[in-house]
Amino acid sequence: MIADDCAPSHAESLAQCLTYARDYAEELRLMLAGRDVDSDRASRLVQAMREMLCVAENELAALDDTQEVTDAIADIRGLSDAELYRAITDAPPPN
C-alpha cells in the first residue's frame, strides 16, 4: 500500500538498522555468556544497539507518515464527484 518513492529506502534502512541491532545484541549475549566480559565493550554494544533502534524508529515514523498520506489519497479517490466538491467547498465542522 505504500506508494511513496522514498518508502523502499526507508524500509531498507529500517531492516538494516534492525539487523545491526540484532547483531550487536547477539555479540553482547555471547560476551555475557562467556567468562571474559569486557565492560567497556559491553557498554559500547548497548549504546550501539540504542542508536540503531533510534534510527529504526525514525525510519518507521517516515513509513507511518507515508502510509497516512497514501490512506488519505485512497479516501479521496473513493469520494464521488459531489462528495469531493463538498469536501473542498464546505467549511470544516467546528471542533
Side-chain angles (χ1 to χ4, degrees), residues 47-83:
Q47 183 60 36
M49 282 185 283
R50 182 175 285 116
E51 290 171 6
M52 287 297 102
L53 293 173
C54 286
V55 173
E57 184 177 19
N58 291 339
E59 295 298 340
L60 190 56
L63 289 171
D64 281 345
D65 292 345
T66 300
Q67 187 63 50
E68 288 176 18
V69 170
T70 301
D71 291 346
I73 290 169
D75 289 344
I76 290 170
R77 287 184 179 157
L79 296 175
S80 68
D81 289 344
E83 291 169 325

Side-chain angles (χ1 to χ4, degrees), residues 8-90:
S9 66
H10 289 299
E12 177 63 30
S13 181
L14 174 63
Q16 190 174 38
C17 290
L18 293 174
T19 298
Y20 286 138
R22 185 195 67 220
D23 291 348
Y24 296 146
E26 179 63 15
E27 185 177 342
L28 181 61
R29 184 189 70 78
L30 291 172
M31 180 190 305
L32 295 175
R35 295 180 189 211
D36 293 327
V37 176
D38 180 346
S39 61
D40 288 336
R41 177 73 180 148
S43 177
R44 286 192 303 272
L45 287 169
V46 169
Q47 183 60 36
M49 282 185 283
R50 182 175 285 116
E51 290 171 6
M52 287 297 102
L53 293 173
C54 286
V55 173
E57 184 177 19
N58 291 339
E59 295 298 340
L60 190 56
L63 289 171
D64 281 345
D65 292 345
T66 300
Q67 187 63 50
E68 288 176 18
V69 170
T70 301
D71 291 346
I73 290 169
D75 289 344
I76 290 170
R77 287 184 179 157
L79 296 175
S80 68
D81 289 344
E83 291 169 325
L84 183 57
Y85 179 78
R86 279 193 305 276
I88 293 170
T89 59
D90 290 353

